[in-house]
Amino acid sequence: MEFYPSIEKSDIQEIKKFQEQKLQELLMYLETHSPFYQKLFKENNINIADIQTLEDLQKIPTTTKNDIQQNNDDFFCITPDKIVDYSTTSGTLGDPVTFGLSDNDLERLAYNEAISFACAGIQKGDVVQMITTIDKRFMAGLAYFLGLRKMGASVVRMGPGIPELQWDSIFRYKPKYLITVPSFLLKMIDYAEKHGIDYNNSSVYGAVCIGESIKNQDFTDNILSQKIKEKWNIKLFSTYASTEMSTAFTECEFQQGGHHHPELIITEILDDEGNLVKEGESGELTITTLGVEAIPLLRFKTGDIVKAHYEPCGCGRKTMRLGPVIGRKQQMIKYKGTTLYPPAMNDILNDFNNILCYQIVIQSNEIGLDEIIIKVSTDKDNENFVNEIRDHFRAKLRVSPKIELIDFDVLSKVVFNPNSRKPITFIDLR
């Protein structure tokens, strides 16, 4: 199995031609097997023979998470007896959206993760410690395991939390890489320092970071990444994926954005009117999955605002690269004339060593405007510290949100909810 696909080093026109061939196969498959897309083609008078190029995709309406939630069963292209795994993702209206995977889909998922981990430098024989759940219908955890197995790496399935057990496992099995939410690395460092663990002399070379951003838009380390590296001399690799895509964008050793895998996904970056943005501009990532059997998606709007980078990478790949997620479209905040996204506020709060945990809450006030409340647990329980945080917000973002000090035992139970796959640092009550 080739984990460094040659198509990724082909020239842009060759990649485009390759994807257009894959698109034809997908459209025929959807017209034959997908009740949702059959109806969409019919209602919009779309003849799939007219869709020959990637540019022709613009003739087809986009699909949203809301569409899947309201028509979940109609997206399935295979019968229930062909489904070997059920995964779910949170829905925009509250109820989870179900994704089934066939045996071939699981193979595709494993291949996707194998080529993505190969991007980050993981090789056959490496030991990798998974600090993420593999249960609770969580597709990513299963994908990591299948991908590592496929490429011949050894997996230590630790699951999230409990720094003591993580360190015991690191010194017992000597993993070269960790897969984790990056903020948990700070908890591991804190535990190691309090218990005299010489963590800089461990076997860990790098961590593949999931669920939280570790880079600024210019690919420099953000505050969270800097805080980890100041203490622990390890490499941090960004990765971006979602259940709907069944595909990951992972950084290579040059760390200039997550690489696109042309065999697996077609990408478009769209503005608010649904047009392709100009090169260098940000927009909503819209994807078309290739090679998916159970629930293939055509022009699915992810809700994530990103910027694409097209210049060839130093690693030799000529594929497009995705920059860090700027924010989720539905989480955009209009606050006193300023447009904000949660990642910008995360950076500010991560700048304070005395903040033990935090949660950003957005709600509408009595006149319908967005209001920001920052709930903070700290070991510096005084008004001066609150003013310090407020001043930092004013300096960096030109806004001054309401800040509430909350006892750590109370707030930590909400932020680190055992039923959640990652820390709940943002709640939208609008």
Side-chain angles (χ1 to χ4, degrees), residues 361-421:
V361 179
I362 311 298
Q363 59 189 36
S364 297
N365 63 17
E366 62 279 1
I367 56 171
L369 299 176
D370 291 348
E371 196 169 68
I372 305 171
I373 300 163
I374 313 283
K375 298 183 177 184
V376 171
S377 291
T378 174
D379 51 15
K380 280 180 77 173
D381 193 4
N382 61 56
E383 195 56 37
N384 284 341
F385 187 58
V386 169
N387 289 332
E388 240 182 277
I389 298 171
R390 203 175 279 120
D391 288 346
H392 205 38
F393 267 90
R394 279 197 200 102
K396 296 285 188 183
L397 296 178
R398 302 189 303 282
V399 298
S400 179
K402 184 180 176 186
I403 293 160
E404 294 179 0
L405 292 179
I406 309 281
D407 186 72
F408 177 75
D409 289 340
V410 175
L411 187 58
S412 64
K413 282 177 184 158
V414 181
V415 175
F416 303 107
N417 187 319
N419 293 322
S420 175
R421 297 161 182 173

Side-chain angles (χ1 to χ4, degrees), residues 117-406:
F117 287 143
C119 250
I122 299 176
Q123 297 177 353
K124 181 177 182 177
D126 285 343
V127 179
V128 181
Q129 186 156 315
M130 276 177 54
I131 307 177
T132 176
T133 186
I134 198 170
D135 54 7
K136 298 176 182 169
R137 304 194 303 261
F138 184 35
M139 184 189 282
L142 177 63
Y144 304 146
F145 175 75
L146 292 173
L148 292 166
R149 176 176 177 266
K150 191 169 194 68
M151 69 193 308
S154 302
V155 187
V156 184
R157 289 179 296 108
M158 279 304 297
I162 321 176
E164 181 182 3
L165 279 182
Q166 303 294 349
W167 283 118
D168 174 75
S169 182
I170 285 168
F171 286 103
R172 190 182 297 268
Y173 302 111
K174 299 182 172 42
K176 186 175 179 183
Y177 290 89
L178 309 176
I179 300 174
T180 182
V181 174
S183 57
F184 184 70
L185 294 173
L186 291 174
K187 292 190 182 316
M188 288 181 61
I189 291 166
D190 183 57
Y191 181 91
E193 288 180 341
K194 285 175 178 167
H195 293 83
I197 295 171
D198 187 5
Y199 55 92
N200 269 310
N201 278 323
S202 74
S203 59
V204 178
Y205 165 80
V208 175
C209 296
I210 63 168
E212 295 170 335
S213 177
I214 56 168
K215 292 286 172 71
N216 297 314
Q217 287 303 309
D218 62 357
F219 301 120
T220 55
D221 291 335
N222 69 8
I223 299 294
L224 176 57
S225 189
Q226 286 172 31
K227 286 177 85 167
I228 295 164
K229 289 181 176 180
E230 276 165 15
K231 298 271 192 174
W232 197 1
N233 183 27
I234 59 173
K235 298 268 188 192
L236 301 178
F237 295 91
S238 239
T239 187
Y240 163 79
S242 72
T243 300
E244 295 92 347
M245 299 194 303
S246 290
T247 309
F249 293 77
T250 304
E251 286 185 318
C252 68
E253 68 271 23
F254 288 87
Q255 303 204 324
Q256 295 291 302
H259 278 283
H260 169 221
H261 301 305
E263 299 164 276
L264 304 177
I265 200 164
I266 293 168
T267 59
E268 301 171 82
I269 312 241
L270 305 179
D271 63 18
D272 289 342
E273 283 73 51
N275 302 311
L276 290 167
V277 301
K278 294 191 179 82
E279 200 166 314
E281 291 181 356
S282 59
E284 184 172 5
L285 178 66
T286 301
I287 59 94
T288 295
T289 55
L290 300 172
V292 172
E293 212 169 46
I295 302 189
L297 294 176
L298 179 63
R299 304 201 77 213
F300 173 76
K301 294 171 85 170
T302 63
D304 289 325
I305 306 299
V306 297
K307 191 186 288 184
H309 298 263
Y310 297 96
E311 62 279 4
C313 183
C315 69
R317 293 178 180 87
K318 293 175 184 168
T319 49
M320 177 273 282
R321 300 181 317 287
L322 278 188
V325 173
I326 296 164
R328 285 194 67 75
K329 194 168 186 179
Q330 69 198 49
Q331 291 176 352
M332 186 180 84
I333 305 149
K334 282 279 190 186
Y335 189 69
K336 296 180 181 175
T338 302
T339 299
L340 300 172
Y341 288 102
M345 292 188 276
N346 293 340
D347 279 352
I348 287 172
L349 294 164
N350 286 332
D351 216 357
F352 289 92
N353 291 324
N354 296 99
I355 292 179
L356 305 174
C357 70
Y358 64 83
Q359 188 172 70
I360 301 160
V361 179
I362 311 298
Q363 59 189 36
S364 297
N365 63 17
E366 62 279 1
I367 56 171
L369 299 176
D370 291 348
E371 196 169 68
I372 305 171
I373 300 163
I374 313 283
K375 298 183 177 184
V376 171
S377 291
T378 174
D379 51 15
K380 280 180 77 173
D381 193 4
N382 61 56
E383 195 56 37
N384 284 341
F385 187 58
V386 169
N387 289 332
E388 240 182 277
I389 298 171
R390 203 175 279 120
D391 288 346
H392 205 38
F393 267 90
R394 279 197 200 102
K396 296 285 188 183
L397 296 178
R398 302 189 303 282
V399 298
S400 179
K402 184 180 176 186
I403 293 160
E404 294 179 0
L405 292 179
I406 309 281

